[in-house]
Amino acid sequence: MTTIRPNGSLYTRIENKIATLEFGHPASNSFPSELLARLTNELNKLSENNEITVIILKSEGERAFCAGASFDELIAINNLQDGKAFFSGFANVINAMRTCKKLIIGSIQGKTVGGGVGLAAACDYVLATEAASIKLSELTIGIGPFVIAPAVERKIGVSGLAELTLGAKSWKNAYWAKEKGLYARVFESISELEKEVEILADNLSSYNPEALLEMKKALWKGTEHWNNLLIERAETSGKLVLSDFTKKALAKFKK
């Protein structure tokens, strides 16, 4: 199934019990709200699909994995309701990944910023290339990665989250991400990455689906409150984006 629209594309291919879910957008695979909603809906559908046992999440192209949320939508926010709704987009996706009944493999081929780091963190197992550097730059514009922080902290700990968020202007390379626990393995090329993702997915698809589901539940134990937590965090970000500091910072970026 392929859907191509001005607000991005979403493609799902199902073969041999494996669903490959691929998203794309001309602006470095960033996410407008509409695309986030479609991704959430697709994850929920795949969760209930008894024909699959594992999901591969990837993005189009050979460069950026994900540039986070839509910058154009961010600068257009002018009230709290719209702000909360905007930041709830990634909250809904992360919660859909968390509650999905299938294990999700992240295939990260390139640089990842903001919400894209949250997507990687919400995967159950992540393979990446050497080009898959990460950055959380939200503090530079007066907001913070509050919605995705719980998912990132779950993978790399409080100290890793602090290093990544407070060093908001610095990229962390793929090997830093692997050392901290965000990535399981790092490869030199996209071809190697794709080969290993395929091998891993094939292996997982041959296992007992009931055992995989119980393993998924065990991995996410203690996150049951995230449905409320992430929406509360979205409201926090929605307030901050209306601040004078952020409006001035966004105006500079727009120029």
Side-chain angles (χ1 to χ4, degrees):
M1 177 181 62
T2 305
T3 308
I4 301 176
R5 302 177 187 173
N7 280 335
S9 60
L10 194 65
Y11 172 82
T12 303
R13 183 179 75 253
I14 298 176
E15 187 176 3
N16 298 326
K17 300 181 181 179
I18 301 167
T20 301
L21 182 52
E22 185 172 341
F23 62 88
H25 191 277
S28 300
N29 292 328
S30 59
F31 271 96
S33 295
E34 180 186 326
L35 186 56
L36 284 170
R38 285 156 52 201
L39 177 58
T40 298
N41 290 335
E42 187 66 14
L43 286 164
N44 289 334
K45 289 179 183 177
L46 292 174
S47 178
E48 301 300 327
N49 188 333
N50 294 326
E51 301 300 314
I52 66 171
T53 55
V54 63
I55 298 170
I56 298 171
L57 180 65
K58 61 184 297 187
S59 65
E60 294 178 351
E62 298 184 353
R63 303 188 69 177
F65 169 71
C66 178
S70 168
F71 184 76
D72 289 339
E73 288 189 16
L74 179 66
I75 62 177
I77 296 171
N78 58 20
N79 62 73
L80 180 57
Q81 182 178 356
D82 289 348
K84 181 179 179 180
F86 173 82
F87 289 103
S88 292
F90 269 103
N92 293 333
V93 169
I94 290 173
N95 276 321
M97 295 174 72
R98 176 180 65 83
T99 59
C100 182
K101 296 176 182 177
K102 319 298 179 182
L103 288 174
I104 301 174
I105 301 170
S107 179
I108 315 298
Q109 85 283 18
K111 286 186 174 182
T112 306
V113 183
V117 180
L119 283 185
C123 291
D124 299 298
Y125 199 89
V126 179
L127 304 181
T129 69
E130 291 182 340
S133 300
I134 61 176
K135 182 167 70 170
L136 294 180
S137 57
E138 286 87 342
L139 284 178
T140 64
I141 57 172
I143 56 177
F146 299 109
V147 170
I148 66 169
V152 178
E153 180 186 337
R154 171 177 166 270
K155 282 292 182 73
I156 69 174
V158 174
S159 61
L161 177 64
E163 187 174 349
L164 195 57
T165 56
L166 301 183
K169 292 185 177 181
S170 301
W171 287 95
K172 298 295 185 183
N173 66 38
Y175 291 103
W176 182 93
K178 179 179 181 296
E179 178 184 347
K180 296 296 183 181
L182 181 63
Y183 301 157
R185 299 175 66 189
V186 174
F187 304 94
E188 291 185 1
S189 67
I190 292 177
S191 60
E192 287 180 276
L193 169 67
E194 292 177 340
K195 178 181 177 181
E196 293 300 324
V197 167
E198 182 179 353
I199 291 172
L200 176 61
D202 284 340
N203 287 338
L204 288 172
S205 68
S206 70
Y207 300 157
N208 182 350
E210 292 181 20
L212 293 178
L213 176 57
E214 292 304 319
M215 192 68 245
K216 174 96 180 195
K217 292 177 181 178
L219 291 173
W220 286 94
K221 184 179 179 181
T223 65
E224 294 80 6
H225 63 296
W226 281 21
N227 279 332
N228 294 326
L229 175 64
L230 300 193
I231 298 301
E232 290 172 2
R233 294 290 185 87
E235 185 169 8
T236 297
S237 294
K239 291 177 181 177
L240 287 170
V241 79
L242 299 174
S243 68
D244 290 339
F245 184 102
T246 297
K247 287 299 183 184
K248 290 176 181 178
L250 290 174
K252 290 180 181 179
F253 274 98
K254 186 176 181 181
K255 290 179 181 179

